[in-house]
Amino acid sequence: MFIDQVRVHLRSGNGGAGAVSFRQVGRRPRGKPAGGSGGRGGSVLVAVDEGMSTLADFRRRPHRAADGGSHGASDLRHGRQGEDLIVRVPAGTMVIDDEDRLVADLVAAGQQVTVLEGGRGGRGNAALVSPTNRAPSFCEQGEYGTEAWFTLEMKLVTDAALIGFPNAGKSTLISRVSAARPKIADYPFTTLVPNLGVVTIDDRSFVMADVPGLVEGAADGKGLGHEFLRHCERARVLVFLLDPSPLQELSLERQYEILERELRRHDPGLADRPRVVAVTKRDLSVESPVTSTLLEVAPDLIEVSSVAGQGLNDLVHRIADTVDRAGATRGDQVEGYVLHRPLAATFEVDRVDGVWVVNGRAAERAVAFNDLTLSDAALLAARRLSRLGVDDSLRRAGAREGDEVRIGDLVFEYSEHDVG
């Protein structure tokens, strides 16, 4: 099944917690700190896989999660890092976050983007030794991973896209010039998903896409227009197929006008894309239906019959030549896109129902100890918050002695005393 748009829920791994342990050394009453640190949680990456052509697997498994890091242990045994989750997608996949922002547009093998960072591992007491505390009896907790919904939307990356009204002969043409075997019938909308075929001519080859038929109003979504039109956006060359058969109510000139208009309304850049124009089903009529009016807008028009094989060799050569010229002009590779966001503020201070709430990973990391009832751990947490500027921000926001301050799941009492 061809699926080109899905929603997925991704989650990065939790970091492992540090450990508190001591190793007996000489006559030291408590021994030497020997608690190992926890491993970092796995991150979530989205990467192009050349072997994929659809997003169908995500319909069956929309929830994916990276591995968590393991906890530290005694004797300086550090936890293993969680394995990253690599979400493999076809070339041409856009990654859109839940705020409808384009995070990345991945168009070629080797391109990838990290969408969620794994949680940081907590440090064991051996890593928390300082000149003022030679034997800490506390450790850091592991940091939780993050989770979010994303939309994956695929746009085919092709050399040539066949554009035309329903039943214009697109599927028959691609079946004659490539190994693609789409469904073919003598009624409209036989093709409901794009079909891809590799066309080889002499020592050249190119990828052709059979895009489902367009109708007037496609740019407004009529007839699934948006879903179909987006697969034209990355094609180097557009191949207009015009239908002269009696079943088609519109003249060739009108068909050409509507196809060009719908493409322009969907994406103005498509109107300037190199194109090849062909009139299909040449075997149905003895007299050519091509008029001088049509030749004015498409002077290099070719008449073909996919059933009888008339003109196909000339058409394929024409498309290959146009693809080559388009590649020389636009480059051989459609460029990808990755959003590089500025670093977010380390924390923010808000007032919620009479409580000062400090949000931000940096602030949460500062107090992420296994036991804050220990005076040494509480003092270190207070110093960290002070260095971050949390105390100053609370003071400027209007906090008073004794006010409640919440950081994550922890609630503290605000104090204006200097912790050094």
Side-chain angles (χ1 to χ4, degrees):
M1 179 183 296
F2 183 87
I3 301 295
D4 57 6
Q5 187 173 27
V6 293
R7 284 204 11 111
V8 294
H9 183 268
L10 305 176
R11 192 184 194 290
S12 60
N14 297 333
V20 176
S21 175
F22 293 90
R23 180 188 301 156
Q24 194 64 42
V25 177
R27 297 181 179 181
R28 296 176 64 173
R30 300 184 64 179
K32 182 179 179 180
S37 299
R40 184 179 184 84
S43 297
V44 180
L45 299 84
V46 181
V48 171
D49 184 341
E50 288 184 295
M52 294 183 65
S53 59
T54 176
L55 297 170
D57 187 49
F58 295 98
R59 284 285 178 90
R60 296 186 289 269
R61 293 196 307 120
H63 295 267
R64 310 286 177 97
D67 288 340
S70 61
H71 302 316
S74 59
D75 294 326
L76 292 177
R77 288 178 291 173
H78 302 302
R80 65 163 181 80
Q81 293 194 359
E83 186 174 349
D84 291 340
L85 169 66
I86 300 179
V87 180
R88 302 189 183 280
V89 297
T93 298
M94 299 189 302
V95 183
I96 303 167
D97 68 15
D98 219 26
E99 296 180 6
D100 206 29
R101 291 178 299 191
L102 179 61
V103 175
D105 189 2
L106 308 174
V107 300
Q111 292 183 341
Q112 65 180 34
V113 60
T114 300
V115 293
L116 296 174
E117 295 281 356
R120 193 176 70 172
R123 286 180 288 183
N125 68 330
L128 295 174
V129 172
S130 70
T132 57
N133 191 346
R134 307 297 297 178
S137 55
F138 53 88
C139 63
E140 292 178 340
Q141 300 283 64
E143 190 174 71
Y144 288 115
T146 54
E147 57 186 302
W149 283 95
F150 293 89
T151 297
L152 304 179
E153 182 177 307
M154 189 181 74
K155 296 179 181 179
L156 292 176
V157 180
T158 64
D159 295 310
L162 300 178
I163 312 295
F165 277 71
N167 210 35
K170 299 181 295 297
S171 297
T172 304
L173 174 60
I174 198 171
S175 71
R176 288 298 303 270
V177 300
S178 76
R181 292 294 175 263
K183 180 181 179 181
I184 299 174
D186 59 354
Y187 53 83
F189 295 108
T190 308
T191 302
L192 296 178
V193 299
N195 295 294
L196 289 177
V198 177
V199 181
T200 301
I201 184 75
D202 299 330
D203 59 346
R204 297 183 292 175
S205 64
F206 59 89
V207 178
M208 177 183 287
D210 163 22
V211 178
L214 301 180
V215 296
E216 188 169 7
D220 297 321
K222 186 176 179 181
L224 297 178
H226 289 307
E227 285 81 352
F228 296 165
L229 280 167
R230 71 164 172 263
H231 291 299
C232 305
E233 294 177 15
R234 300 193 200 276
R236 290 179 179 175
V237 175
L238 303 179
V239 182
F240 282 32
L241 296 188
L242 307 180
D243 180 8
S245 69
L247 294 176
Q248 177 55 253
E249 298 178 356
L250 300 175
S251 66
L252 299 182
E253 294 87 344
R254 182 63 177 154
Q255 291 177 51
Y256 184 91
E257 176 187 331
I258 291 174
L259 292 175
E260 185 177 57
R261 185 181 67 204
E262 295 302 326
L263 289 170
R264 185 184 299 273
R265 290 180 61 202
H266 177 73
D267 181 352
L270 289 175
D272 301 323
R273 194 70 51 86
R275 69 183 60 167
V276 174
V277 182
V279 174
T280 62
K281 306 178 183 179
R282 184 65 188 88
D283 56 297
L284 297 181
S285 174
V286 176
E287 184 178 348
S288 172
V290 177
T291 64
S292 58
T293 303
L294 181 59
L295 287 174
E296 288 180 6
V297 294
D300 296 327
L301 177 146
I302 298 178
E303 295 184 68
V304 302
S305 169
S306 299
V307 173
Q310 298 174 9
L312 292 186
N313 195 56
D314 290 341
L315 176 60
V316 171
H317 272 288
R318 178 76 59 82
I319 296 172
D321 291 342
T322 309
V323 167
D324 289 343
R325 288 195 297 270
T329 302
R330 301 177 62 206
D332 293 331
Q333 180 76 37
V334 179
E335 291 188 1
Y337 167 88
V338 175
L339 175 64
H340 296 283
R341 298 177 181 172
L343 290 176
T346 53
F347 67 89
E348 294 178 346
V349 174
D350 294 311
R351 181 82 159 166
V352 180
D353 298 330
V355 177
W356 296 103
V357 179
V358 182
N359 293 308
R361 279 208 162 189
E364 292 175 6
R365 286 171 179 169
V367 299
F369 293 110
N370 65 320
D371 189 356
L372 278 171
T373 62
L374 298 173
S375 59
D376 289 346
L379 180 60
L380 180 55
R383 287 173 174 166
R384 287 179 171 183
L385 292 174
S386 179
R387 286 197 297 268
L388 275 175
V390 173
D391 291 351
D392 291 339
S393 294
L394 286 168
R395 189 178 301 111
R396 287 194 299 269
R400 296 289 181 266
E401 186 81 25
D403 283 355
E404 285 190 352
V405 178
R406 187 168 72 239
I407 303 176
D409 296 328
L410 301 173
V411 178
F412 303 88
E413 186 175 287
Y414 177 71
S415 174
E416 295 186 354
H417 297 299
D418 187 10
V419 295

